[in-house]
C-alpha cells in the first residue's frame, strides 16, 4: 500500500492571516499587491514541498474589509504568473458559481491547467456576502439552498465542457490538411434549470482533463456538495474533537457517492505562531494581538454575539457580564466563546482579540516541535488529512514554518520530501479522467 502523506496547502494572504499583520514592522509594505513578494512566497512554499498554493477571493469589499482583500490581484491572473515561476506546486483559486458562468470558468481553469502543465485547482464557492449582489446588477443575494442547487449544476456543466474534446482530437496533419478529427469534438447540449450550454469548449483538453476540485462549505448543504464533487475540503475547526466529528461525517457522506477515504482529502485551516521557545512564540503572538485596533476587533466579534453595539461597553468589562441577545448571531460559535470566557474570567478586550486573531481556525502557539506534534496528532487520529497553513505574518512566520517545522515532519515521514511526477490530481492519488 502506498504511503499516505499529510497534504499541505499554503493559504496565501499578502500580509499574513492575522487581522493586524499589515501593521507589523516585518510585514511586506504592499502585501497582496507586491508581485515579487508573492513570487518569493510561492517559491518558499515549493521549497517546502507544499502540495498546494491557495488564493481566496471575494467580489465585494468595504472600508471595513481586511487589508489583505481591500486591494489585491485577480487570483487566476496571479496564478498564471506564479505558474511560470514554479514547477511542481498545485495552484488553487476560489471562483464563484453564483456570479460566474460555466463556459467562462471552464475556459479559464483549462487555460491555467495548460499553462501550469496540469497543476490547476478550483475552490468552488457560492459566495456568502449579501452585498456582493449589488456589484452584479442585483440587490438581493440568491438564497442559500438555491445557490447550492445552482452550484451543483454549474459543476456538472463545467465537467461536460472539459470533456467536450477527446485527448486525441487534434491531428494537425500538415500533409493531409486535416487539423482535427471532427468525430472527437462534441457539443454538450446541456439544458437544465439554471443553465443552457451548447459547447464545445473553445480550448482543447488540458493535462488533467479537469482541475482538482476543492469545496469549503460547512453547512449540511455545503458538505453534501463537497462529498459529491470535491477532491479536497477546506474547513475551519478550532479543536480536535470537532475536527474528528467533521472528518468522520464527511467521509461517510463521500462513501454514499462511491468515494473511498483516500478520494477526498480534508484539510482544516491551521494558524501557527512559531518561536524558538514557547515563551518567544507567545511574545510574537502578543505583539500581533496588541496591534488590533479595538474598533476593528469589535466589528469582527459583533456577528458572533447578535450584532449588538459592543462599543457601549468598556473593554475591561467581564465578557460574561454583558447582556447578549444572540438571536441573529452565530449561536454555536457564541456558546463556545462564552463558555471559554466564563471559565477563564476573560474581559471583552481579551475575547475580542482572541476571536479577531484566529477567526475560528485552530491556532497553535509554540516551538517548531510543538507545532509538528499538534499536526501529527490530528493527522494520525483522523481529524485531518492535511492542513491549509495560514501564517499569521508574511514572510517571516512562513519562512520559520518551512525552515523549522517542515524538516521535523519530513524526519517523521509525515510529509513528502520530494514531488512525485504527474499532474496535481495524480499527486493526490486521483486519476485524470
Amino acid at each position: 500500500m502506498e504511503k499516505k502523506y499529510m497534504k499541505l496547502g499554503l493559504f496565501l494572504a499578502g500580509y499574513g492571516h492575522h487581522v493586524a499583520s499589515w501593521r507589523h514592522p516585518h510585514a511586506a509594505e504592499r502585501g497582496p499587491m507586491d508581485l515579487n513578494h508573492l513570487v518569493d512566497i510561492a517559491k518558499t512554499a515549493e521549497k517546502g514541498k507544499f502540495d498546494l498554493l491557495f488564493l481566496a477571493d471575494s467580489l465585494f469589499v468595504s472600508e471595513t474589509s481586511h487589508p489583505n482583500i481591500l486591494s489585491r490581484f485577480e487570483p487566476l491572473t496571479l496564478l498564471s504568473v506564479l505558474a511560470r515561476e514554479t514547477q511542481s506546486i498545485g495552484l488553487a483559486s476560489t471562483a464563484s458559481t453564483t456570479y460566474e458562468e460555466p463556459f467562462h470558468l471552464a475556459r479559464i481553469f483549462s487555460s491555467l491547467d495548460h499553462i501550469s502543465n496540469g497543476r490547476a485547482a478550483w475552490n468552488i464557492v457560492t459566495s456568502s456576502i449579501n452585498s456582493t449582489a449589488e456589484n452584479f446588477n442585483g440587490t438581493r443575494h440568491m438564497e442559500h439552498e438555491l445557490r447550492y442547487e445552482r452550484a451543483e449544476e454549474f459543476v456538472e456543466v463545467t465537467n461536460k465542457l472539459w470533456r467536450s474534446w477527446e485527448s486525441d482530437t487534434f491531428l494537425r496533419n500538415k500533409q493531409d490538411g486535416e487539423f482535427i478529427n471532427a468525430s472527437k469534438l462534441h457539443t454538450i447540449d446541456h439544458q437544465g434549470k439554471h443553465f443552457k450550454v451548447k459547447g464545445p469548449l473553445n480550448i482543447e483538453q488540458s493535462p488533467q482533463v479537469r482541475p482538482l476540485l476543492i469545496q469549503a462549505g460547512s453547512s449540511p448543504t455545503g458538505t453534501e456538495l463537497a462529498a459529491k464533487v470535491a477532491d479536497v475540503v477546506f474547513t475551519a475547526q478550532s479543536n480536535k474533537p470537532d475536527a474528528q466529528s467533521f472528518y468522520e461525517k464527511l467521509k461517510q457522506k463521500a462513501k454514499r457517492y462511491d468515494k473511498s477515504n483516500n478520494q477526498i482529502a480534508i484539510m482544516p485551516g491551521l494558524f501557527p505562531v512559531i518561536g524558538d521557545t514557547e515563551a518567544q512564540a507567545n511574545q510574537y503572538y502578543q505583539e500581533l494581538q496588541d496591534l488590533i485596533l479595538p474598533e476593528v476587533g469589535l466589528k469582527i466579534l459583533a456577528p458572533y454575539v447578535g450584532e449588538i453595539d459592543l462599543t457601549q461597553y468598556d473593554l475591561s468589562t467581564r465578557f460574561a457580564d454583558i447582556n447578549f441577545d444572540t438571536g441573529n448571531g452565530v449561536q454555536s460559535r457564541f456558546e463556545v466563546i462564552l463558555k471559554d470566557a466564563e471559565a477563564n474570567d476573560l474581559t471583552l478586550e481579551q475575547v475580542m482579540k482572541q476571536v479577531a486573531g484566529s477567526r475560528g481556525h485552530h491556532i497553535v502557539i509554540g516551538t517548531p516541535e510543538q507545532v509538528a506534534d499538534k499536526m501529527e496528532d490530528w493527522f494520525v487520529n483522523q481529524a485531518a488529512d492535511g492542513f491549509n497553513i495560514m501564517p499569521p505574518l508574511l514572510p517571516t512566520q512562513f519562512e520559520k514554518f518551512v525552515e523549522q517545522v517542515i524538516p521535523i515532519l519530513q524526519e517523521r515521514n509525515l510529509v513528502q520530501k520530494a514531488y512525485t511526477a504527474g499532474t496535481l490530481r495524480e499527486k493526490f492519488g486521483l486519476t485524470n479522467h
Side-chain angles (χ1 to χ4, degrees):
M1 185 176 176
E2 189 176 341
K3 164 70 178 174
K4 180 187 175 184
Y5 288 112
M6 184 187 295
K7 298 298 182 186
L8 291 180
L10 168 64
F11 189 160
L12 178 58
Y15 295 110
H17 280 273
H18 193 279
V19 69
S21 56
W22 71 276
R23 297 187 67 202
H24 196 280
H26 294 159
E29 188 67 28
R30 298 189 70 234
M33 293 301 295
D34 184 338
L35 183 58
N36 290 332
H37 163 63
L38 300 177
V39 168
D40 287 344
I41 296 296
K43 289 181 175 180
T44 300
E46 193 160 71
K47 176 185 172 185
K49 303 300 182 287
F50 271 63
D51 297 274
L52 278 174
L53 180 73
F54 168 61
L55 294 175
D57 196 25
S58 64
L59 301 172
F60 169 82
V61 294
S62 71
E63 67 277 3
T64 60
S65 296
H66 191 295
N68 272 318
I69 72 169
L70 271 169
S71 174
R72 57 180 170 177
F73 295 116
E74 189 282 315
L76 282 144
T77 306
L78 175 58
L79 288 180
S80 295
V81 175
L82 298 182
R84 305 295 291 174
E85 297 285 346
T86 56
Q87 281 75 48
S88 301
I89 194 168
L91 303 166
S93 173
T94 291
S96 173
T97 57
T98 303
Y99 297 105
E100 299 280 3
E101 289 292 322
F103 190 94
H104 184 221
L105 271 194
R107 184 188 189 195
I108 292 173
F109 276 102
S110 189
S111 296
L112 178 62
D113 206 47
H114 279 289
I115 291 168
S116 65
N117 295 315
R119 293 186 283 140
W122 171 24
N123 180 41
I124 304 160
V125 300
T126 65
S127 299
S128 59
I129 300 174
N130 291 331
S131 300
T132 303
E134 296 173 16
N135 287 335
F136 292 87
N137 294 323
T139 55
R140 183 175 174 81
H141 195 39
M142 193 181 291
E143 295 297 333
H144 181 272
E145 297 300 312
L146 193 59
R147 292 203 314 271
Y148 276 95
E149 180 183 277
R150 174 185 163 101
E152 186 172 339
E153 187 181 341
F154 194 114
V155 176
E156 178 189 351
V157 177
T158 53
N159 274 320
K160 289 178 180 178
L161 287 167
W162 285 318
R163 290 171 172 81
S164 58
W165 299 86
E166 294 184 35
S167 59
D168 55 352
T169 305
F170 281 80
L171 303 174
R172 297 185 172 97
N173 190 322
K174 294 183 180 181
Q175 185 174 349
D176 295 343
E178 193 174 11
F179 192 70
I180 64 168
N181 181 340
S183 69
K184 298 195 174 189
L185 171 61
H186 310 289
T187 58
I188 67 169
D189 297 315
H190 177 89
Q191 295 192 43
K193 179 177 178 180
H194 299 277
F195 302 106
K196 183 177 180 180
V197 181
K198 182 179 181 180
L201 198 60
N202 58 345
I203 184 170
E204 63 194 81
Q205 192 177 96
S206 76
Q208 292 189 107
V209 183
R210 70 162 176 84
L212 189 80
L213 297 180
I214 304 168
Q215 221 279 325
S218 291
S219 68
T221 314
T223 53
E224 197 67 38
L225 179 65
K228 185 173 184 178
V229 308
D231 306 308
V232 173
V233 176
F234 289 157
T235 180
Q237 305 295 336
S238 59
N239 61 72
K240 190 171 80 171
D242 286 350
Q244 288 173 315
S245 175
F246 180 88
Y247 185 98
E248 182 183 4
K249 289 175 182 176
L250 190 56
K251 295 281 185 175
Q252 288 299 322
K253 282 188 177 183
K255 285 178 182 176
R256 296 208 308 267
Y257 296 104
D258 297 322
K259 289 183 179 178
S260 70
N261 275 2
N262 293 331
Q263 287 181 301
I264 187 165
I266 298 173
M267 299 173 64
L270 186 74
F271 185 100
V273 186
I274 306 163
D276 294 336
T277 63
E278 190 173 349
Q280 188 184 64
N282 277 298
Q283 181 186 336
Y284 286 152
Y285 183 60
Q286 195 57 50
E287 282 177 14
L288 287 165
Q289 293 292 82
D290 289 344
L291 294 174
I292 299 175
L293 297 174
E295 57 268 30
V296 173
L298 292 176
K299 282 177 181 175
I300 292 171
L301 178 60
Y304 297 109
V305 297
E307 296 289 1
I308 68 170
D309 180 13
L310 293 170
T311 60
Q312 63 185 296
Y313 296 97
D314 189 279
L315 290 175
S316 62
T317 305
R318 285 182 72 250
F319 188 77
D321 291 342
I322 296 174
N323 181 27
F324 293 108
D325 173 13
T326 61
N328 293 320
V330 184
Q331 188 67 37
S332 59
R333 187 80 177 105
F334 170 73
E335 289 169 1
V336 172
I337 293 168
L338 181 59
K339 184 178 178 181
D340 182 59
E342 289 175 339
N344 296 290
D345 199 30
L346 301 179
T347 65
L348 173 59
E349 181 176 25
Q350 289 171 316
V351 172
M352 173 265 290
K353 287 184 174 181
Q354 195 174 76
V355 172
S358 66
R359 289 177 294 151
H361 290 276
H362 187 55
I363 182 166
V364 183
I365 305 171
T367 64
E369 289 80 6
Q370 289 172 317
V371 173
D373 288 345
K374 181 60 67 78
M375 294 173 71
E376 181 175 13
D377 181 31
W378 280 41
F379 179 65
V380 169
N381 291 296
Q382 297 188 320
D385 294 311
F387 299 90
N388 207 16
I389 303 301
M390 304 169 63
L393 180 65
L394 290 175
T396 53
Q397 278 290 309
F398 185 54
E399 288 170 347
K400 280 181 178 291
F401 187 92
V402 170
E403 292 167 6
Q404 299 178 25
V405 179
I406 290 292
I408 296 170
L409 296 173
Q410 288 176 334
E411 186 178 324
R412 297 178 186 181
N413 204 28
L414 291 169
V415 298
Q416 62 186 1
K417 297 175 184 176
Y419 288 108
T420 57
T423 66
L424 179 60
R425 286 173 51 74
E426 288 169 337
K427 288 179 170 72
F428 269 74
L430 305 165
T431 62
N432 282 340
H433 297 283

